Amino acid sequence: MRKVARVLLTIAIILFAAFAGFLGLVAVTDYRPATITEIQVDNPQEDVVQIRREITITSFNIGYCGLDKHADFFMDGGTMSRAISPEQTAANIDWVSAFLTEQKSDIYFLQEVDRRSRRSYRTEQYTRFCSDLSEYSGSFATNYRVAWVPVPLADPHGNVYSGIATLSRYRVNSAARYSLPGLYPWIKQLFMLDRCTMESRLPTSDGRQLVLANVHLSAFDEGGVIRAQQLAFLKEYAGRELKSGNYLVIGGDWNHLLSSDPKAKQAEYGDAWPFWLQVLPDDFAIEGFGWAVDETVPSCRTLDRPYDPAANIAVNIDGFLVSPGVEIVSVYGHDLGFENSDHNPVTICIRLGTAPANGTDGD
């Protein structure tokens, strides 16, 4: 009996030591960015943004080129932790790159861009897009870097290196990563994203700056507590830029319902409402700023199952918030059927220096 007890104790000690060692490795290698980090602008361009001319910006969460119509995701009620196959990942990358090239927007905001992560079969997506769009500058800000995410145990998420990218036809004088506030409990935080917004400052022909903020807010914070802190940060940030007299466009994946009638949308889905989806709070309003969301085309679908139009919930969480002095000419959601990503891209057309911001929900 004592021998069995000793064996069991030895096994327990070994398992505890292995877990402690693993946790120590993840803690030592934990990505700890500064509050503000200067970001390199690759392949800089020279054209200056002209006021009173139309500028197009497309925001696209590409889902690490792994969350196509065949995929679900373990944190959203599904089971999968990575793309279906290397071949499908390559096909998704090819398709996204072709879309960006053919769309010919002046500026792109991309989210969930992977760089040699296990979940996307170690593909280098940022470099690929920069290469294919050689007439654009590129900036990349890391928001997810973990040595190893051990869940699900049967097929772990694994090592992750991912972030947000901004591509621009125009000159970018500077780019910076701003860490967004809000932390999970310590151990959980080691394996979660370090959310951020990436700022790009573009000179304009009237001597002001067009400030672009590419955002990807938190998704799985219970009750939206962390997201509330992030929205407060963005509200303060927007107020500072407004006082400075610059033009400001904040765009990307807000991970909040963007709707002119959120109560109706919630009633439509009832008990099936996704646990992670928060409604944008009423107090997130900045005088003079306007929203650009195309409510005729949903920008995101749930990942509790592979895509089925009759079963998945599809809502708008991607869009743009623009400052006074930025005219919203149009906003257009691309209905791509979630073929190669769990998001549909959204394109805004703006003009600077022509009118106060005005909200719109479609063309």
Side-chain angles (χ1 to χ4, degrees):
M1 195 68 179
R2 290 181 179 177
K3 184 176 181 180
V4 173
R6 283 198 299 270
V7 170
L8 293 177
L9 179 60
T10 300
I11 292 173
I13 291 173
I14 292 173
L15 291 176
F16 177 79
F19 175 74
F22 168 70
L23 205 60
L25 171 65
V26 174
V28 168
T29 59
D30 184 36
Y31 176 60
R32 299 185 184 92
T35 303
I36 304 175
T37 306
E38 183 179 346
I39 297 295
Q40 177 175 310
V41 178
D42 301 314
N43 191 33
Q45 302 298 302
E46 292 302 323
D47 287 349
V48 171
V49 174
Q50 300 296 309
I51 63 168
R52 299 186 178 86
R53 289 187 186 176
E54 292 186 357
I55 303 162
T56 52
I57 307 173
T58 294
S59 178
F60 193 2
N61 183 329
I62 64 172
Y64 58 86
C65 292
L67 297 175
D68 53 74
K69 67 177 183 179
H70 306 291
D72 61 32
F73 186 57
F74 73 100
M75 290 190 70
D76 197 9
T79 60
M80 297 174 60
S81 63
R82 63 194 308 210
I84 286 181
S85 68
E87 294 77 19
Q88 183 63 50
T89 305
N92 293 337
I93 292 172
D94 289 344
W95 184 92
V96 169
S97 185
F99 170 82
L100 299 177
T101 302
E102 294 168 6
Q103 181 62 27
K104 300 185 185 303
S105 291
D106 297 307
I107 297 160
Y108 290 102
F109 292 170
L110 305 179
Q111 301 88 38
E112 294 193 34
V113 181
D114 267 14
R115 311 191 71 172
R116 303 192 180 281
S117 302
R118 182 180 188 273
R119 63 185 185 178
S120 54
Y121 294 93
R122 311 195 187 284
T123 50
E124 173 47 85
Q125 297 169 12
Y126 172 67
T127 302
R128 165 67 186 276
F129 299 143
C130 286
S131 175
D132 290 354
L133 283 83
S134 59
E135 296 179 354
Y136 293 73
S137 68
S139 304
F140 179 87
T142 303
N143 67 4
Y144 200 12
R145 192 157 195 175
V146 180
W148 193 261
V149 180
V151 292
L153 293 177
D155 188 15
H157 213 43
N159 74 293
V160 185
Y161 178 21
S162 188
I164 56 180
T166 299
L167 309 179
S168 172
R169 288 185 188 273
Y170 295 107
R171 182 193 303 172
V172 177
N173 280 347
S174 66
R177 180 195 189 281
Y178 285 74
S179 293
L180 291 175
L183 296 173
Y184 294 91
W186 178 68
I187 291 182
K188 185 175 182 180
Q189 181 62 41
L190 291 175
F191 302 101
M192 298 299 286
L193 286 82
D194 295 282
R195 300 284 183 171
C196 69
T197 181
M198 180 162 59
E199 171 193 273
S200 302
R201 292 185 175 270
L202 285 61
T204 66
S205 60
D206 65 354
R208 299 160 73 182
Q209 295 183 86
L210 170 59
V211 180
L212 306 174
N214 182 351
V215 301
H216 188 193
L217 303 189
S218 292
F220 298 108
D221 57 323
E222 187 174 353
V225 174
I226 291 176
R227 272 173 280 189
Q229 297 176 56
Q230 295 170 352
L231 288 174
F233 172 91
L234 289 175
K235 187 173 182 178
E236 181 182 357
Y237 174 86
R240 290 199 309 269
E241 289 303 324
L242 182 62
K243 289 181 180 178
S244 71
N246 291 324
Y247 306 107
L248 176 62
V249 176
I250 306 174
D253 179 351
W254 294 80
N255 269 319
H256 286 80
L257 177 68
L258 304 180
S259 172
S260 57
D261 192 351
K263 290 183 179 179
K265 185 62 68 173
Q266 287 178 303
E268 176 184 347
Y269 291 113
D271 292 340
W273 187 257
F275 69 93
W276 55 266
L277 183 56
Q278 297 290 315
V279 174
L280 196 71
D282 293 336
D283 62 358
F284 185 72
I286 310 169
E287 185 176 355
F289 279 70
W291 283 100
V293 180
D294 185 355
E295 296 191 49
T296 67
V297 177
S299 71
C300 177
R301 59 103 169 172
T302 51
L303 284 164
D304 55 324
R305 68 192 79 199
Y307 183 54
D308 177 353
N312 292 85
I313 291 175
V315 294
N316 290 96
I317 66 174
D318 303 86
F320 301 88
L321 181 65
V322 306
S323 69
V326 179
E327 177 190 1
I328 301 170
V329 179
S330 64
V331 58
Y332 177 74
H334 302 263
D335 189 356
L336 306 179
F338 305 111
E339 183 77 20
N340 300 91
S341 172
D342 60 319
H343 287 249
N344 282 323
V346 183
T347 298
I348 185 177
C349 178
I350 60 173
R351 275 194 293 259
L352 304 183
T354 56
N358 58 290
T360 181
D361 60 0
D363 290 340

